[in-house]
Each structure stands twice: as C-alpha cells, then as structure tokens.
Amino acid sequence: MATNSIFSIGLSGLNAAQAWLTTTSHNISNASTEGYNRQVVQQSNRVPQASGVGFFGTGVAVETVVRQYSSFLNSQSLAAQAQSSALDTYLSQATQIDNILADTASGLSPSLQDFFSGVQDVAANPASVPSRQQMISLSEALVSRFQALDARFAELRTGVNTQVRGIVTEINGYAARIADLNQQIIVSLSTDARPANDLLDQRDNLIAELNKLVKVSTIQESNGSINVFIGTGQTMVMGNRAQTLIAEPSAEDPTNFSISYDLGSGRVLLSDRVLQGGELGGLLDFRNTLDTVQNESRSRGDGAGGNVHEGSIGSGRISTVISAATSSRHRTPRCRRG
C-alpha cells in the first residue's frame, strides 16, 4: 500500500475526530439552551480500493451532523402540554369563582342564610313589626350581595377578555417567527441539502411555545418547511406565510371578545369550539362556565322572591311576605290609651 494512502487514511480519521470534538463542544455549550437537541456526527467508511489481492480500506468519511430527535415523542409532548396548559388556566380562573362564592365572610351563603332565617321569623310571627323590618333589611342586603357578585363576575369577564387579546397577540408573534424560520430552512436546504439543525431546534421551540397558548398540529413539507395548524385544524402558518388573528368585542355580545382571521380585506370569525387547548382554550372554556354561573346568579337574584320549600311560610312564597312587610314598612302601630 502506498505511503500517501496511509497518510490519507490517517488524515480522514483526524478529520472525523475533529468533527466529533466540534460537535461535542457545541453540545456542551448549548446544554442550557431551551429547545436544543443534542447533535451527533454520522460517519461511514470510504469506498475501498481494489487491488490484485483484494480491497483495501481508504479511511472514514463524515456524512453529516444530525439531531437526536423523535417526531413521535415531540407530537406526544405537544398534545400533553396543550391539555395541561388548558387545564391549568381553567383551574386558576375557576378558583376565583370558588373563592367568591365560598367565602364565609363575604360570599353568598351568609346572606342567604340570614335572609331565610328572617323569612322563618316572619312566618312564625307574621304580626311582628320588628321581624318584618328585619326581613326587609336582610332582603336588601341579599340583593346588594347579588349585585356585588354580578359586578365581580363582570370584572372576571373583563380580565378574561384582556388575557384573550394578549394571547392572540402572542400567537401572531410566534406564527410570524415560525414562518420566517421556515424561509431560512428552505433556503438552507436548497443550497446545502443538509439539515440546518440549530434552525430546526429554534423552530421546534417556537412551536412548543405556541402550543402552550393554543393546541398545535403540524405537517412537514418536502422543502423543509412546516405547516402549523391551531385548535381543530385552523391554518396559522403555511410555508413562509403566517395568518393574523384579531380579538375584538363580539357583534353578538360586546361583553365577550371574539377571535377572527384578519385577512386585510375582511375578517373570518372563528368559533370558540375550534380554538381548543392551551391557555386560550382554557380561557374560552372558563368564559363559558362564567356565562353559566353569572346567568344562574342573576336568575337566583331575580327569583329571590320566588318559591321556597312548601310550608316554610304560610303562602309558600317569599314575595308574599316581602310584599306584606313592605306595605307595612311605614305603618306605626297604634298605642292603647289607658
């Protein structure tokens, strides 16, 4: 075997070792980089050289550098993260309702208990003026409590709308950056035909962050770009183009913000049902719960003078007692003269 062949084989080994050292150094340097995937060198033996006595090896060749990455594990992680973010967001919001209603000092229960105690007193002593006056005061306190609860629910709704608008702005920002990275990756692959590992990591990290805000699904294209869909399959990024969302007061209910595609020439409304998962999905689910709770609270407040358990008072209707007590509110009992 010629001397130059020996040197060539040795040089190929040194080049391979240098590639490994460079890649290892890069891995160590990015050990704390969010979204970074460890990289490894892929190498193979060179084409052997034929001779009269057989084939002689010609050394090693560095093929490329690849990421240690599993698309299956990544998709499973995204699904779990979207659900977790939605549930965490829903819980943090629903806890506020629980705290409001269950508060032993300022919640609804104390006012209801005091009110019904007053009703029972009037039922037991219908001719007692102090009992009737007390029940009127308790009914006014109960009405004030319902009004305070309604105002607090309105504050929660305003807070939800503010958060929805902020999340929509974040979604637009992530979509634009993903589309930009798609373009860079397309250019990189078209010129080198090798994966741009660090760009891929950056894009995957942005997709993971977007997934925390709203459920994400993706489709890989042959040119290296990724199409991103949110919720139940609404397009957010297509190649190097990103859609824009807008959150604004709903035409049907201005107290709630609706979300639409902003197409420049017009808008396409998106139903809350299609925007699932992530913080946005959790907020929209909570808003539906808030609608139910607030409507129920208003219904209970409006019906505070409605039916109670049969026999709790003679007529079975609080409204009758309130009416009777109110009609006697300004009466002064006559005193007997001796």
Side-chain angles (χ1 to χ4, degrees), residues 12-44:
S12 71
L14 289 174
N15 288 335
Q18 184 180 26
W20 274 104
L21 287 173
T22 301
T23 302
T24 301
S25 298
H26 186 58
N27 288 335
I28 294 173
S29 299
N30 287 279
S32 299
T33 300
E34 186 175 3
Y36 180 80
N37 289 286
R38 187 170 65 91
Q39 299 177 9
V40 296
V41 176
Q42 284 190 341
Q43 60 186 42
S44 62

Side-chain angles (χ1 to χ4, degrees), residues 59-120:
V60 63
V62 174
E63 298 292 339
T64 187
V65 179
V66 297
R67 301 185 297 162
Q68 296 295 286
Y69 172 82
S70 169
S71 58
F72 172 75
L73 292 179
N74 184 63
S75 64
Q76 294 298 304
S77 175
L78 290 178
Q81 180 61 64
Q83 184 177 22
S84 175
S85 295
L87 293 175
D88 287 344
T89 301
Y90 183 90
L91 176 62
S92 66
Q93 297 294 326
T95 300
Q96 299 183 65
I97 292 181
D98 183 63
N99 292 337
I100 292 171
L101 297 178
D103 192 290
T104 56
S106 59
L108 186 60
S109 295
S111 296
L112 282 172
Q113 292 173 358
D114 292 342
F115 174 71
F116 282 105
S117 294
V119 171
Q120 294 294 338

Side-chain angles (χ1 to χ4, degrees), residues 111-192:
S111 296
L112 282 172
Q113 292 173 358
D114 292 342
F115 174 71
F116 282 105
S117 294
V119 171
Q120 294 294 338
D121 287 343
V122 173
N125 304 288
S128 173
V129 174
S131 294
R132 287 183 289 180
Q133 293 286 357
Q134 176 68 7
M135 200 205 71
I136 290 173
S137 298
L138 292 173
S139 65
E140 291 174 345
L142 181 60
V143 170
S144 296
R145 175 53 54 196
F146 275 113
Q147 291 173 342
L149 286 176
D150 196 67
R152 186 69 182 94
F153 292 149
E155 290 177 4
L156 289 179
R157 189 178 303 280
T158 300
V160 169
N161 288 335
T162 300
Q163 292 182 69
V164 167
R165 174 176 282 176
I167 288 175
V168 166
T169 299
E170 289 187 71
I171 290 174
N172 290 334
Y174 282 125
R177 293 166 64 186
I178 292 170
D180 181 62
L181 281 171
N182 272 344
Q183 178 61 28
Q184 295 182 50
I185 291 169
I186 291 172
V187 172
S188 175
L189 289 178
S190 64
T191 56
D192 195 359

